Amino acid sequence: MTERQIRLATCSLAGCFGCHMSFLDIDERLFDLVELIEFDRTPLTDIKHCGPCDVGIVEGGVCNAENVHVLKEFRKNCKVLVAIGACAINGGLPSLRNNIDLWDCFQEVYQYEGGLEGGVVPNDPELPLPFDKVHPIYEVVKVDYFLPGCPPSGDAIWRFLTDLLAGREPKLEYEQLHFD
Amino acid sequence: MNKTITIDGLSVPFQEGQTIMDAALAAGVYIPRLCHNPEFKPHGSCKLCTVKVNGRNVASCTMPAVEGQQVLNDTDELNADRLALTQMLFVEGNHLCPACEKSGNCQLQAVAYYLGMMSPHYNHFYPQREVDASHPDVILDRNRCIYCELCVRASRDADGKNVFGLSGRGIQSSLVVNSASGRLGDTSLAATDKAVQVCPTGAILQKGKGFTVPIGRRVFDHHTIKEIQTGGGHD
Ligand code: SF4
Ligand code: SF4
């Protein structure tokens, strides 16, 4: 077995985990991948904090204070930071709320929506502080590569990763580059 | 004798009165464009079709072709400028392609693909824009409007209705509707109007038509906008 030298971390911020699902869609190529890399923090390992890594892949935009802490931890630890998916790149569907007043949003969800017990907006110090707008991650930290798509296909992810791990400038085929 | 210009070294004939864009279109040379549609008078606003003529940047859709012009079009420098312009269009509006019915058939998106846009690069404005769903057959989603004025030109020059107009300047610009209420439902607009068909983005959409073409069979799924707009790319 070759030595696994490359450490890779992934996380989902304000995303739906769809990009992670698409990542799993590389199917049996995962076996090839784990020959090349070692996973650090990722939902696959359940490691809670990111250590020094070669590559960090971030799904989702930034919608609350916790997202910023995680994102900064990734930027600090990862030599190469990759934004994956529409949400990390332009805020995506969570940013649909950007033009709705945050308090209106909360009231709609927790108070006006039928069938909810209590009708109270949660307010616990354990809960991350929400921002009034959702932002793409490159508006908070420097991002080295972008992999668009909602989600990008397994093939696009594979193409990207194999290019990156081989030291090539990642380049998608025309049909692999899409924003939806 | 035929008059000619050169575009990226290629000799391209033109007739008196034609623009550089007209000559390129006739010769099947692709110059990226969003606000220009050969069926309507040039508007020269999106600047995507900017080319270098004898060392100067000009909008090819409004610049008359003149004998002997040496035009640079498909260069790294011009394409980098076009990419920046396209990225600005994305951040100045609210473009959530995964939730947009025009996705896959949208010229703004297709130009972004053509130019290899991996991210919008600039900080997002997330502007507050109105959606007008008052018309029974047509929806106007200003979040996706790029102010190309194609609907304005089409409604005025082809439909003879003057339904649309542009109001304000710069970042305050907005697309307005010509009715006392300002609502689309109170105009004589019909879904079959040219103004509805001509929008390059998902700002004006016919209701009830969303997602009728599956992913994989949409206009730009397998063909670049260059192939489509130069008449290639047909299956
Ligand atoms: S109009 Fe085009 S670019 Fe804008 S959201 Fe719709 S598909 Fe995307
Ligand atoms: S609605 Fe469409 S056609 Fe009209 S100005 Fe906006 S983008 Fe152009």
Side-chain angles (χ1 to χ4, degrees), chain B residues 60-108:
Chain B
S60 60
C61 71
T62 52
M63 187 66 170
V66 176
E67 176 67 35
Q69 270 169 343
Q70 308 212 347
V71 179
L72 292 179
N73 168 39
D74 191 11
T75 69
D76 289 347
E77 184 191 341
L78 287 166
N79 285 330
D81 288 348
R82 290 167 180 151
L83 173 62
L85 289 170
T86 305
Q87 289 168 319
M88 289 182 208
L89 288 175
F90 270 83
V91 300
E92 283 169 16
N94 293 305
H95 292 276
L96 297 162
C97 297
C100 179
E101 292 176 20
K102 192 75 169 192
S103 195
N105 301 313
C106 169
Q107 291 179 29
L108 174 62

mmCIF file of all heavy atoms in Angstrom, chain B residues 60-108:
data_model
loop_
_atom_site.group_PDB
_atom_site.id
_atom_site.type_symbol
_atom_site.label_atom_id
_atom_site.label_comp_id
_atom_site.label_asym_id
_atom_site.label_seq_id
_atom_site.Cartn_x
_atom_site.Cartn_y
_atom_site.Cartn_z
ATOM 1 N N SER B 60 -18.562 46.057 -30.007
ATOM 2 C CA SER B 60 -18.665 45.648 -31.410
ATOM 3 C C SER B 60 -20.096 45.736 -31.937
ATOM 4 O O SER B 60 -20.314 45.813 -33.132
ATOM 5 C CB SER B 60 -18.115 44.233 -31.601
ATOM 6 O OG SER B 60 -18.840 43.313 -30.820
ATOM 7 N N CYS B 61 -21.095 45.747 -31.054
ATOM 8 C CA CYS B 61 -22.482 45.782 -31.525
ATOM 9 C C CYS B 61 -22.896 47.171 -31.992
ATOM 10 O O CYS B 61 -23.890 47.325 -32.693
ATOM 11 C CB CYS B 61 -23.448 45.274 -30.453
ATOM 12 S SG CYS B 61 -23.659 46.381 -29.051
ATOM 13 N N THR B 62 -22.131 48.194 -31.600
ATOM 14 C CA THR B 62 -22.485 49.551 -32.042
ATOM 15 C C THR B 62 -21.416 50.166 -32.937
ATOM 16 O O THR B 62 -21.653 51.193 -33.562
ATOM 17 C CB THR B 62 -22.692 50.496 -30.827
ATOM 18 O OG1 THR B 62 -21.554 50.404 -29.977
ATOM 19 C CG2 THR B 62 -23.938 50.123 -30.030
ATOM 20 N N MET B 63 -20.248 49.561 -33.015
ATOM 21 C CA MET B 63 -19.133 50.149 -33.772
ATOM 22 C C MET B 63 -19.251 49.790 -35.257
ATOM 23 O O MET B 63 -19.237 48.616 -35.622
ATOM 24 C CB MET B 63 -17.808 49.616 -33.215
ATOM 25 C CG MET B 63 -16.587 50.283 -33.801
ATOM 26 S SD MET B 63 -16.575 52.012 -33.300
ATOM 27 C CE MET B 63 -14.957 52.492 -33.816
ATOM 28 N N PRO B 64 -19.383 50.787 -36.139
ATOM 29 C CA PRO B 64 -19.467 50.481 -37.571
ATOM 30 C C PRO B 64 -18.188 49.807 -38.064
ATOM 31 O O PRO B 64 -17.087 50.153 -37.624
ATOM 32 C CB PRO B 64 -19.624 51.862 -38.230
ATOM 33 C CG PRO B 64 -20.013 52.788 -37.143
ATOM 34 C CD PRO B 64 -19.442 52.233 -35.875
ATOM 35 N N ALA B 65 -18.359 48.821 -38.930
ATOM 36 C CA ALA B 65 -17.199 48.194 -39.557
ATOM 37 C C ALA B 65 -16.626 49.168 -40.581
ATOM 38 O O ALA B 65 -17.366 49.812 -41.316
ATOM 39 C CB ALA B 65 -17.609 46.884 -40.225
ATOM 40 N N VAL B 66 -15.318 49.286 -40.579
ATOM 41 C CA VAL B 66 -14.642 50.193 -41.504
ATOM 42 C C VAL B 66 -13.504 49.423 -42.169
ATOM 43 O O VAL B 66 -12.780 48.678 -41.487
ATOM 44 C CB VAL B 66 -14.075 51.433 -40.755
ATOM 45 C CG1 VAL B 66 -13.279 52.316 -41.712
ATOM 46 C CG2 VAL B 66 -15.193 52.225 -40.097
ATOM 47 N N GLU B 67 -13.408 49.590 -43.470
ATOM 48 C CA GLU B 67 -12.387 48.890 -44.256
ATOM 49 C C GLU B 67 -11.030 48.864 -43.537
ATOM 50 O O GLU B 67 -10.548 49.893 -43.070
ATOM 51 C CB GLU B 67 -12.251 49.605 -45.615
ATOM 52 C CG GLU B 67 -11.156 49.067 -46.530
ATOM 53 C CD GLU B 67 -11.438 47.651 -47.039
ATOM 54 O OE1 GLU B 67 -12.621 47.340 -47.280
ATOM 55 O OE2 GLU B 67 -10.490 46.866 -47.172
ATOM 56 N N GLY B 68 -10.485 47.659 -43.449
ATOM 57 C CA GLY B 68 -9.125 47.525 -42.933
ATOM 58 C C GLY B 68 -9.000 47.455 -41.412
ATOM 59 O O GLY B 68 -7.889 47.336 -40.896
ATOM 60 N N GLN B 69 -10.118 47.536 -40.689
ATOM 61 C CA GLN B 69 -10.033 47.443 -39.227
ATOM 62 C C GLN B 69 -9.405 46.115 -38.804
ATOM 63 O O GLN B 69 -9.771 45.067 -39.320
ATOM 64 C CB GLN B 69 -11.430 47.491 -38.606
ATOM 65 C CG GLN B 69 -11.929 48.865 -38.256
ATOM 66 C CD GLN B 69 -13.400 48.824 -37.914
ATOM 67 O OE1 GLN B 69 -14.099 47.862 -38.224
ATOM 68 N NE2 GLN B 69 -13.886 49.882 -37.294
ATOM 69 N N GLN B 70 -8.507 46.192 -37.855
ATOM 70 C CA GLN B 70 -7.952 44.963 -37.291
ATOM 71 C C GLN B 70 -8.570 44.771 -35.911
ATOM 72 O O GLN B 70 -8.291 45.555 -34.999
ATOM 73 C CB GLN B 70 -6.438 45.065 -37.193
ATOM 74 C CG GLN B 70 -5.837 45.482 -38.523
ATOM 75 C CD GLN B 70 -4.463 44.881 -38.736
ATOM 76 O OE1 GLN B 70 -3.865 44.353 -37.812
ATOM 77 N NE2 GLN B 70 -3.980 44.959 -39.953
ATOM 78 N N VAL B 71 -9.403 43.755 -35.799
ATOM 79 C CA VAL B 71 -10.192 43.542 -34.596
ATOM 80 C C VAL B 71 -9.623 42.364 -33.806
ATOM 81 O O VAL B 71 -9.396 41.295 -34.380
ATOM 82 C CB VAL B 71 -11.670 43.260 -34.957
ATOM 83 C CG1 VAL B 71 -12.491 43.012 -33.695
ATOM 84 C CG2 VAL B 71 -12.255 44.407 -35.771
ATOM 85 N N LEU B 72 -9.392 42.582 -32.518
ATOM 86 C CA LEU B 72 -9.033 41.462 -31.643
ATOM 87 C C LEU B 72 -10.264 41.102 -30.828
ATOM 88 O O LEU B 72 -10.927 41.970 -30.253
ATOM 89 C CB LEU B 72 -7.881 41.850 -30.714
ATOM 90 C CG LEU B 72 -6.524 42.091 -31.390
ATOM 91 C CD1 LEU B 72 -5.492 42.495 -30.349
ATOM 92 C CD2 LEU B 72 -6.075 40.842 -32.140
ATOM 93 N N ASN B 73 -10.600 39.825 -30.777
ATOM 94 C CA ASN B 73 -11.824 39.402 -30.100
ATOM 95 C C ASN B 73 -11.565 38.336 -29.049
ATOM 96 O O ASN B 73 -11.754 38.555 -27.861
ATOM 97 C CB ASN B 73 -12.825 38.897 -31.154
ATOM 98 C CG ASN B 73 -13.990 38.167 -30.536
ATOM 99 O OD1 ASN B 73 -14.495 38.569 -29.491
ATOM 100 N ND2 ASN B 73 -14.421 37.068 -31.167
ATOM 101 N N ASP B 74 -11.090 37.182 -29.484
ATOM 102 C CA ASP B 74 -10.960 36.039 -28.577
ATOM 103 C C ASP B 74 -9.572 36.039 -27.939
ATOM 104 O O ASP B 74 -8.770 35.129 -28.164
ATOM 105 C CB ASP B 74 -11.228 34.750 -29.372
ATOM 106 C CG ASP B 74 -11.372 33.544 -28.462
ATOM 107 O OD1 ASP B 74 -11.482 33.729 -27.229
ATOM 108 O OD2 ASP B 74 -11.372 32.415 -28.987
ATOM 109 N N THR B 75 -9.285 37.055 -27.141
ATOM 110 C CA THR B 75 -7.974 37.122 -26.488
ATOM 111 C C THR B 75 -8.150 36.914 -24.985
ATOM 112 O O THR B 75 -9.223 37.144 -24.438
ATOM 113 C CB THR B 75 -7.314 38.503 -26.704
ATOM 114 O OG1 THR B 75 -8.055 39.493 -25.971
ATOM 115 C CG2 THR B 75 -7.288 38.896 -28.178
ATOM 116 N N ASP B 76 -7.077 36.489 -24.338
ATOM 117 C CA ASP B 76 -7.137 36.261 -22.885
ATOM 118 C C ASP B 76 -7.538 37.537 -22.153
ATOM 119 O O ASP B 76 -8.335 37.513 -21.218
ATOM 120 C CB ASP B 76 -5.771 35.788 -22.362
ATOM 121 C CG ASP B 76 -5.461 34.359 -22.805
ATOM 122 O OD1 ASP B 76 -6.392 33.674 -23.299
ATOM 123 O OD2 ASP B 76 -4.299 33.940 -22.679
ATOM 124 N N GLU B 77 -7.001 38.661 -22.605
ATOM 125 C CA GLU B 77 -7.272 39.931 -21.926
ATOM 126 C C GLU B 77 -8.758 40.305 -22.034
ATOM 127 O O GLU B 77 -9.400 40.635 -21.039
ATOM 128 C CB GLU B 77 -6.401 41.023 -22.544
ATOM 129 C CG GLU B 77 -6.538 42.364 -21.845
ATOM 130 C CD GLU B 77 -5.893 43.509 -22.620
ATOM 131 O OE1 GLU B 77 -5.041 43.254 -23.498
ATOM 132 O OE2 GLU B 77 -6.271 44.659 -22.345
ATOM 133 N N LEU B 78 -9.299 40.221 -23.253
ATOM 134 C CA LEU B 78 -10.715 40.585 -23.433
ATOM 135 C C LEU B 78 -11.632 39.601 -22.708
ATOM 136 O O LEU B 78 -12.636 39.997 -22.108
ATOM 137 C CB LEU B 78 -11.058 40.653 -24.921
ATOM 138 C CG LEU B 78 -10.492 41.880 -25.653
ATOM 139 C CD1 LEU B 78 -10.589 41.706 -27.164
ATOM 140 C CD2 LEU B 78 -11.218 43.149 -25.212
ATOM 141 N N ASN B 79 -11.270 38.324 -22.763
ATOM 142 C CA ASN B 79 -12.119 37.337 -22.080
ATOM 143 C C ASN B 79 -12.062 37.504 -20.563
ATOM 144 O O ASN B 79 -13.057 37.250 -19.874
ATOM 145 C CB ASN B 79 -11.739 35.917 -22.501
ATOM 146 C CG ASN B 79 -12.240 35.594 -23.907
ATOM 147 O OD1 ASN B 79 -13.265 36.127 -24.343
ATOM 148 N ND2 ASN B 79 -11.528 34.734 -24.620
ATOM 149 N N ALA B 80 -10.927 37.961 -20.048
ATOM 150 C CA ALA B 80 -10.839 38.232 -18.604
ATOM 151 C C ALA B 80 -11.752 39.410 -18.240
ATOM 152 O O ALA B 80 -12.436 39.395 -17.220
ATOM 153 C CB ALA B 80 -9.397 38.522 -18.205
ATOM 154 N N ASP B 81 -11.767 40.438 -19.086
ATOM 155 C CA ASP B 81 -12.678 41.576 -18.861
ATOM 156 C C ASP B 81 -14.132 41.111 -18.925
ATOM 157 O O ASP B 81 -14.966 41.517 -18.117
ATOM 158 C CB ASP B 81 -12.464 42.658 -19.924
ATOM 159 C CG ASP B 81 -11.155 43.407 -19.727
ATOM 160 O OD1 ASP B 81 -10.542 43.257 -18.658
ATOM 161 O OD2 ASP B 81 -10.746 44.135 -20.663
ATOM 162 N N ARG B 82 -14.433 40.264 -19.899
ATOM 163 C CA ARG B 82 -15.815 39.767 -20.051
ATOM 164 C C ARG B 82 -16.235 38.946 -18.839
ATOM 165 O O ARG B 82 -17.370 39.034 -18.368
ATOM 166 C CB ARG B 82 -15.917 38.908 -21.320
ATOM 167 C CG ARG B 82 -15.794 39.719 -22.594
ATOM 168 C CD ARG B 82 -15.574 38.830 -23.795
ATOM 169 N NE ARG B 82 -15.449 39.632 -24.997
ATOM 170 C CZ ARG B 82 -14.749 39.278 -26.060
ATOM 171 N NH1 ARG B 82 -14.111 38.117 -26.080
ATOM 172 N NH2 ARG B 82 -14.690 40.071 -27.118
ATOM 173 N N LEU B 83 -15.279 38.161 -18.329
ATOM 174 C CA LEU B 83 -15.584 37.366 -17.140
ATOM 175 C C LEU B 83 -15.903 38.295 -15.962
ATOM 176 O O LEU B 83 -16.887 38.083 -15.243
ATOM 177 C CB LEU B 83 -14.396 36.451 -16.807
ATOM 178 C CG LEU B 83 -14.487 35.675 -15.490
ATOM 179 C CD1 LEU B 83 -15.681 34.716 -15.506
ATOM 180 C CD2 LEU B 83 -13.200 34.888 -15.229
ATOM 181 N N ALA B 84 -15.107 39.344 -15.798
ATOM 182 C CA ALA B 84 -15.336 40.286 -14.684
ATOM 183 C C ALA B 84 -16.714 40.946 -14.832
ATOM 184 O O ALA B 84 -17.447 41.087 -13.852
ATOM 185 C CB ALA B 84 -14.231 41.332 -14.654
ATOM 186 N N LEU B 85 -17.074 41.338 -16.045
ATOM 187 C CA LEU B 85 -18.392 41.953 -16.270
ATOM 188 C C LEU B 85 -19.513 40.971 -15.919
ATOM 189 O O LEU B 85 -20.513 41.336 -15.300
ATOM 190 C CB LEU B 85 -18.540 42.378 -17.738
ATOM 191 C CG LEU B 85 -17.692 43.568 -18.187
ATOM 192 C CD1 LEU B 85 -17.758 43.727 -19.706
ATOM 193 C CD2 LEU B 85 -18.159 44.848 -17.508
ATOM 194 N N THR B 86 -19.317 39.735 -16.315
ATOM 195 C CA THR B 86 -20.334 38.711 -16.049
ATOM 196 C C THR B 86 -20.466 38.476 -14.546
ATOM 197 O O THR B 86 -21.575 38.363 -14.013
ATOM 198 C CB THR B 86 -19.958 37.397 -16.772
ATOM 199 O OG1 THR B 86 -19.771 37.686 -18.158
ATOM 200 C CG2 THR B 86 -21.043 36.354 -16.631
ATOM 201 N N GLN B 87 -19.314 38.430 -13.862
ATOM 202 C CA GLN B 87 -19.358 38.241 -12.405
ATOM 203 C C GLN B 87 -20.075 39.399 -11.726
ATOM 204 O O GLN B 87 -20.839 39.203 -10.786
ATOM 205 C CB GLN B 87 -17.925 38.087 -11.866
ATOM 206 C CG GLN B 87 -17.308 36.752 -12.262
ATOM 207 C CD GLN B 87 -15.818 36.677 -11.995
ATOM 208 O OE1 GLN B 87 -15.086 37.636 -12.238
ATOM 209 N NE2 GLN B 87 -15.346 35.535 -11.519
ATOM 210 N N MET B 88 -19.877 40.606 -12.237
ATOM 211 C CA MET B 88 -20.582 41.762 -11.659
ATOM 212 C C MET B 88 -22.091 41.629 -11.867
ATOM 213 O O MET B 88 -22.876 41.974 -10.981
ATOM 214 C CB MET B 88 -20.083 43.059 -12.304
ATOM 215 C CG MET B 88 -18.675 43.432 -11.892
ATOM 216 S SD MET B 88 -18.209 44.993 -12.653
ATOM 217 C CE MET B 88 -16.456 44.809 -12.768
ATOM 218 N N LEU B 89 -22.495 41.133 -13.031
ATOM 219 C CA LEU B 89 -23.929 40.947 -13.263
ATOM 220 C C LEU B 89 -24.506 39.958 -12.254
ATOM 221 O O LEU B 89 -25.623 40.140 -11.760
ATOM 222 C CB LEU B 89 -24.184 40.442 -14.693
ATOM 223 C CG LEU B 89 -23.960 41.462 -15.805
ATOM 224 C CD1 LEU B 89 -24.130 40.815 -17.175
ATOM 225 C CD2 LEU B 89 -24.920 42.641 -15.659
ATOM 226 N N PHE B 90 -23.731 38.932 -11.936
ATOM 227 C CA PHE B 90 -24.216 37.944 -10.969
ATOM 228 C C PHE B 90 -24.380 38.552 -9.578
ATOM 229 O O PHE B 90 -25.396 38.348 -8.921
ATOM 230 C CB PHE B 90 -23.285 36.727 -10.916
ATOM 231 C CG PHE B 90 -23.674 35.651 -11.890
ATOM 232 C CD1 PHE B 90 -23.279 35.699 -13.218
ATOM 233 C CD2 PHE B 90 -24.473 34.580 -11.489
ATOM 234 C CE1 PHE B 90 -23.655 34.719 -14.129
ATOM 235 C CE2 PHE B 90 -24.861 33.598 -12.385
ATOM 236 C CZ PHE B 90 -24.456 33.664 -13.708
ATOM 237 N N VAL B 91 -23.382 39.311 -9.108
ATOM 238 C CA VAL B 91 -23.477 39.816 -7.731
ATOM 239 C C VAL B 91 -24.418 41.016 -7.607
ATOM 240 O O VAL B 91 -24.897 41.323 -6.523
ATOM 241 C CB VAL B 91 -22.097 40.175 -7.113
ATOM 242 C CG1 VAL B 91 -21.199 38.962 -7.077
ATOM 243 C CG2 VAL B 91 -21.423 41.325 -7.831
ATOM 244 N N GLU B 92 -24.697 41.688 -8.729
ATOM 245 C CA GLU B 92 -25.605 42.844 -8.660
ATOM 246 C C GLU B 92 -27.068 42.431 -8.603
ATOM 247 O O GLU B 92 -27.928 43.219 -8.227
ATOM 248 C CB GLU B 92 -25.378 43.770 -9.858
ATOM 249 C CG GLU B 92 -24.137 44.621 -9.699
ATOM 250 C CD GLU B 92 -23.760 45.344 -10.977
ATOM 251 O OE1 GLU B 92 -24.602 45.439 -11.892
ATOM 252 O OE2 GLU B 92 -22.618 45.799 -11.061
ATOM 253 N N GLY B 93 -27.346 41.195 -9.012
ATOM 254 C CA GLY B 93 -28.708 40.688 -8.919
ATOM 255 C C GLY B 93 -28.766 39.590 -7.875
ATOM 256 O O GLY B 93 -27.861 39.458 -7.047
ATOM 257 N N ASN B 94 -29.845 38.825 -7.917
ATOM 258 C CA ASN B 94 -29.941 37.641 -7.054
ATOM 259 C C ASN B 94 -30.138 36.435 -7.963
ATOM 260 O O ASN B 94 -31.252 36.165 -8.396
ATOM 261 C CB ASN B 94 -31.111 37.786 -6.078
ATOM 262 C CG ASN B 94 -30.872 38.896 -5.067
ATOM 263 O OD1 ASN B 94 -29.866 38.914 -4.377
ATOM 264 N ND2 ASN B 94 -31.792 39.843 -4.997
ATOM 265 N N HIS B 95 -29.037 35.781 -8.258
ATOM 266 C CA HIS B 95 -29.098 34.677 -9.215
ATOM 267 C C HIS B 95 -28.910 33.344 -8.503
ATOM 268 O O HIS B 95 -27.799 32.938 -8.199
ATOM 269 C CB HIS B 95 -28.044 34.867 -10.307
ATOM 270 C CG HIS B 95 -28.350 36.042 -11.179
ATOM 271 N ND1 HIS B 95 -29.213 35.969 -12.247
ATOM 272 C CD2 HIS B 95 -27.947 37.322 -11.102
ATOM 273 C CE1 HIS B 95 -29.320 37.163 -12.798
ATOM 274 N NE2 HIS B 95 -28.565 38.004 -12.126
ATOM 275 N N LEU B 96 -30.022 32.706 -8.202
ATOM 276 C CA LEU B 96 -29.990 31.401 -7.542
ATOM 277 C C LEU B 96 -30.379 30.353 -8.573
ATOM 278 O O LEU B 96 -31.527 29.894 -8.634
ATOM 279 C CB LEU B 96 -30.941 31.419 -6.349
ATOM 280 C CG LEU B 96 -30.514 32.438 -5.276
ATOM 281 C CD1 LEU B 96 -31.650 32.762 -4.340
ATOM 282 C CD2 LEU B 96 -29.308 31.934 -4.513
ATOM 283 N N CYS B 97 -29.398 30.013 -9.387
ATOM 284 C CA CYS B 97 -29.667 29.128 -10.528
ATOM 285 C C CYS B 97 -30.407 27.839 -10.152
ATOM 286 O O CYS B 97 -31.293 27.427 -10.899
ATOM 287 C CB CYS B 97 -28.373 28.796 -11.264
ATOM 288 S SG CYS B 97 -27.575 30.244 -11.975
ATOM 289 N N PRO B 98 -30.065 27.180 -9.035
ATOM 290 C CA PRO B 98 -30.763 25.918 -8.757
ATOM 291 C C PRO B 98 -32.274 26.099 -8.615
ATOM 292 O O PRO B 98 -33.018 25.140 -8.794
ATOM 293 C CB PRO B 98 -30.148 25.449 -7.428
ATOM 294 C CG PRO B 98 -28.832 26.134 -7.345
ATOM 295 C CD PRO B 98 -29.016 27.452 -8.037
ATOM 296 N N ALA B 99 -32.722 27.319 -8.298
ATOM 297 C CA ALA B 99 -34.153 27.546 -8.106
ATOM 298 C C ALA B 99 -34.770 28.320 -9.270
ATOM 299 O O ALA B 99 -35.883 28.807 -9.165
ATOM 300 C CB ALA B 99 -34.389 28.315 -6.802
ATOM 301 N N CYS B 100 -34.034 28.430 -10.364
ATOM 302 C CA CYS B 100 -34.510 29.264 -11.476
ATOM 303 C C CYS B 100 -34.949 28.395 -12.646
ATOM 304 O O CYS B 100 -34.207 27.519 -13.100
ATOM 305 C CB CYS B 100 -33.389 30.205 -11.917
ATOM 306 S SG CYS B 100 -33.828 31.261 -13.301
ATOM 307 N N GLU B 101 -36.158 28.675 -13.136
ATOM 308 C CA GLU B 101 -36.701 27.872 -14.241
ATOM 309 C C GLU B 101 -35.913 28.036 -15.531
ATOM 310 O O GLU B 101 -36.028 27.228 -16.439
ATOM 311 C CB GLU B 101 -38.166 28.270 -14.493
ATOM 312 C CG GLU B 101 -39.080 27.862 -13.361
ATOM 313 C CD GLU B 101 -40.506 28.341 -13.584
ATOM 314 O OE1 GLU B 101 -40.887 28.640 -14.719
ATOM 315 O OE2 GLU B 101 -41.241 28.416 -12.587
ATOM 316 N N LYS B 102 -35.147 29.124 -15.621
ATOM 317 C CA LYS B 102 -34.410 29.380 -16.860
ATOM 318 C C LYS B 102 -33.093 28.592 -16.902
ATOM 319 O O LYS B 102 -32.445 28.509 -17.953
ATOM 320 C CB LYS B 102 -34.123 30.879 -16.961
ATOM 321 C CG LYS B 102 -33.629 31.348 -18.314
ATOM 322 C CD LYS B 102 -34.745 31.407 -19.338
ATOM 323 C CE LYS B 102 -34.269 32.148 -20.593
ATOM 324 N NZ LYS B 102 -35.409 32.469 -21.463
ATOM 325 N N SER B 103 -32.698 28.047 -15.772
ATOM 326 C CA SER B 103 -31.409 27.375 -15.687
ATOM 327 C C SER B 103 -31.263 26.334 -16.798
ATOM 328 O O SER B 103 -32.177 25.557 -17.049
ATOM 329 C CB SER B 103 -31.271 26.704 -14.314
ATOM 330 O OG SER B 103 -29.937 26.342 -14.075
ATOM 331 N N GLY B 104 -30.114 26.353 -17.452
ATOM 332 C CA GLY B 104 -29.882 25.436 -18.569
ATOM 333 C C GLY B 104 -30.251 26.051 -19.901
ATOM 334 O O GLY B 104 -29.761 25.627 -20.949
ATOM 335 N N ASN B 105 -31.143 27.046 -19.863
ATOM 336 C CA ASN B 105 -31.539 27.754 -21.083
ATOM 337 C C ASN B 105 -31.196 29.238 -20.995
ATOM 338 O O ASN B 105 -31.646 30.020 -21.826
ATOM 339 C CB ASN B 105 -33.056 27.611 -21.311
ATOM 340 C CG ASN B 105 -33.482 26.158 -21.434
ATOM 341 O OD1 ASN B 105 -32.856 25.388 -22.167
ATOM 342 N ND2 ASN B 105 -34.513 25.774 -20.710
ATOM 343 N N CYS B 106 -30.446 29.599 -19.980
ATOM 344 C CA CYS B 106 -30.197 31.009 -19.678
ATOM 345 C C CYS B 106 -28.897 31.475 -20.334
ATOM 346 O O CYS B 106 -27.861 30.834 -20.211
ATOM 347 C CB CYS B 106 -30.099 31.168 -18.163
ATOM 348 S SG CYS B 106 -29.503 32.772 -17.635
ATOM 349 N N GLN B 107 -28.963 32.617 -21.015
ATOM 350 C CA GLN B 107 -27.776 33.106 -21.708
ATOM 351 C C GLN B 107 -26.731 33.676 -20.747
ATOM 352 O O GLN B 107 -25.528 33.568 -21.002
ATOM 353 C CB GLN B 107 -28.171 34.162 -22.749
ATOM 354 C CG GLN B 107 -28.951 33.558 -23.900
ATOM 355 C CD GLN B 107 -29.373 34.598 -24.925
ATOM 356 O OE1 GLN B 107 -28.714 35.609 -25.112
ATOM 357 N NE2 GLN B 107 -30.496 34.339 -25.588
ATOM 358 N N LEU B 108 -27.194 34.275 -19.649
ATOM 359 C CA LEU B 108 -26.236 34.790 -18.662
ATOM 360 C C LEU B 108 -25.408 33.634 -18.082
ATOM 361 O O LEU B 108 -24.183 33.690 -18.004
ATOM 362 C CB LEU B 108 -26.981 35.533 -17.537
ATOM 363 C CG LEU B 108 -26.116 36.010 -16.364
ATOM 364 C CD1 LEU B 108 -25.068 37.010 -16.818
ATOM 365 C CD2 LEU B 108 -26.987 36.600 -15.263
#
